[in-house]
Amino acid sequence: MKAPEFSYVKPGSLGEVFDLLDRHGDRARVLAGGQSLLASLNLRLSEPELLVDITGVPGLSGIAVSGQTVRIGALTTHRQIETSAQIARHLPLLAQAVRNVAHAAIRNVGTFGGSIALADPAAEYPACAVALDATFVLAGRAGERRVKAREFFRGLYETALNPGELVTAGEFPLAGAGYQSVFLELARRHGDYAIVGLAAHALVAGGRISDARLAFLGAGSTPVLAVRAAAAIEGRQPDAQAIAAAQATLAEELEMLADLYSSRATKLHLARVLLGRALGALAA
Ligand SMILES: Cc1cc2nc3c(=O)[nH]c(=O)nc-3n(C[C@H](O)[C@H](O)[C@H](O)COP(=O)(O)OP(=O)(O)OC[C@H]3O[C@@H](n4cnc5c(N)ncnc54)[C@H](O)[C@@H]3O)c2cc1C
């Protein structure tokens, strides 16, 4: 299928973007890397009159470390994240996760902000942002505001973005001393969206795990922070008993949605397998 007819504009400033979004309301859509939006147009899942291409807006791209924060601009591509020495050093969870985002051709143009704004529950960055307690910077005509990742994802493809607002950046606290990260996912083929995945980040000392942030993807309509599983493992070594106790909490905590290929029971089983592997790997 071909996309319906639409107009296209490439403004050179945020002010112009806000003017266009004000004027056209929900008849306009923001275009970043286009890797999800153009596919949805071609499938006629969306029929906007105007695409507002934000790739000409300066200041929205790049990775910068300042103080205790890594800032990732919305237009930073998956490829830039994948090849960044700063991400590898300061956000090893994201460095592991990005290798699972789609295929190389898509990673070359798809953007961080596009993935966050799309809020696919099986996407890698949203779960990492929740595990790492990141904050998103949102900007609109009324100015800038910051929203915690844990409050940003509201429902299936639903976020805290107001009409006319953009994601301009993500701010991630630097990984603290002694923290370890493990990202795991199961997909039908490498590069496909995950069936289930887990972004795990925890303090590990003397083989014991504490302050575990276990964010699942593909396990509900948003990323899910498994707080009961974290409590079950708190202060313990991940031996078979501790892992089983953490795994046992998942049935209550994860609101698994069946998809075309996997039942809820299969997905729950896979989530338990990933949790066991991740807890073992964190303390290894
Ligand atoms: C075959 C295939 C496999 C894929 N596999 C994966 C995968 O495994 N994991 C994964 O995470 N992703 C996957 N993707 C999606 C890919 O990562 C996209 O790049 C990403 O989801 C959207 O980024 P984009 O820059 O292309 O956004 P676009 O397609 O340009 O936009 C996506 C949506 O976000 C909005 N938007 C974009 N930028 C902003 C912004 N800054 N502020 C507010 N709204 C904005 C747009 O209006 C649109 O609604 C896959 C895509 C394809 C085609």
Side-chain angles (χ1 to χ4, degrees):
M1 250 197 281
K2 283 189 178 163
E5 227 173 78
F6 56 82
S7 302
Y8 168 91
V9 59
K10 188 172 180 179
S13 71
L14 271 181
E16 285 173 67
V17 173
F18 300 145
D19 285 345
L20 287 159
L21 296 180
D22 275 356
R23 211 174 317 138
H24 295 272
D26 61 9
R27 297 184 309 281
R29 294 289 292 276
V30 167
L31 175 70
Q35 297 304 294
S36 298
L37 182 57
L38 295 184
S40 80
L41 262 53
N42 289 339
L43 291 168
R44 306 256 170 155
L45 297 173
S46 171
E47 301 200 7
E49 286 173 16
L50 178 70
L51 294 191
V52 181
D53 182 347
I54 59 171
T55 59
V57 175
L60 293 186
S61 187
I63 297 162
V65 181
S66 136
Q68 291 303 303
T69 304
V70 183
R71 182 184 167 97
I72 304 177
L75 289 178
T76 307
T77 62
H78 306 317
R79 179 73 182 147
Q80 286 171 309
I81 292 173
E82 188 178 6
T83 55
S84 163
Q86 288 167 317
I87 296 291
R89 179 166 174 210
H90 297 297
L91 301 177
L93 183 65
L94 212 57
Q96 293 174 50
V98 66
R99 295 178 210 134
N100 297 281
V101 176
H103 309 278
I106 294 163
R107 290 201 295 277
N108 283 338
V109 275
T111 66
F112 174 78
S115 175
I116 296 302
L118 184 66
D120 191 304
E124 289 79 5
Y125 296 154
C128 290
V130 165
L132 296 173
D133 199 16
T135 299
F136 300 130
V137 185
L138 314 183
R141 169 67 63 221
E144 206 175 76
R145 64 188 180 108
R146 284 174 165 71
V147 177
K148 289 272 191 191
R150 291 176 189 178
E151 287 147 28
F152 180 80
F153 301 103
R154 297 269 168 92
L156 195 61
Y157 299 104
E158 194 189 322
T159 71
L161 276 168
N162 288 328
E165 269 187 329
L166 297 183
V167 176
T168 55
E171 295 175 340
F172 290 76
L174 299 192
Y179 277 79
Q180 300 292 335
S181 297
V182 173
F183 185 91
L184 297 173
E185 75 172 42
L186 294 164
R188 294 181 76 235
R189 291 172 308 187
H190 183 78
D192 283 2
Y193 273 109
I195 302 168
V196 182
L198 172 59
H201 187 67
L203 183 60
V204 184
R208 292 181 189 279
I209 290 176
S210 59
D211 191 23
R213 298 93 173 275
L214 306 166
F216 281 88
L217 49 142
S221 50
T222 63
V224 183
L225 195 61
V227 290
R228 290 185 198 173
I233 197 81
E234 178 66 24
R236 298 176 74 175
Q237 290 187 337
D239 53 26
Q241 214 181 1
I243 287 176
Q247 287 171 324
T249 66
L250 294 184
E252 295 159 45
E253 208 151 28
L254 304 183
E255 172 227 336
M256 289 298 186
L257 306 174
D259 60 30
L260 282 179
Y261 306 106
S262 311
S263 67
R264 294 171 63 175
T266 300
K267 291 180 80 168
L268 181 60
H269 172 73
L270 296 179
R272 286 184 175 138
V273 170
L274 290 185
L275 180 60
R277 288 181 188 168
L279 293 176
L282 276 172

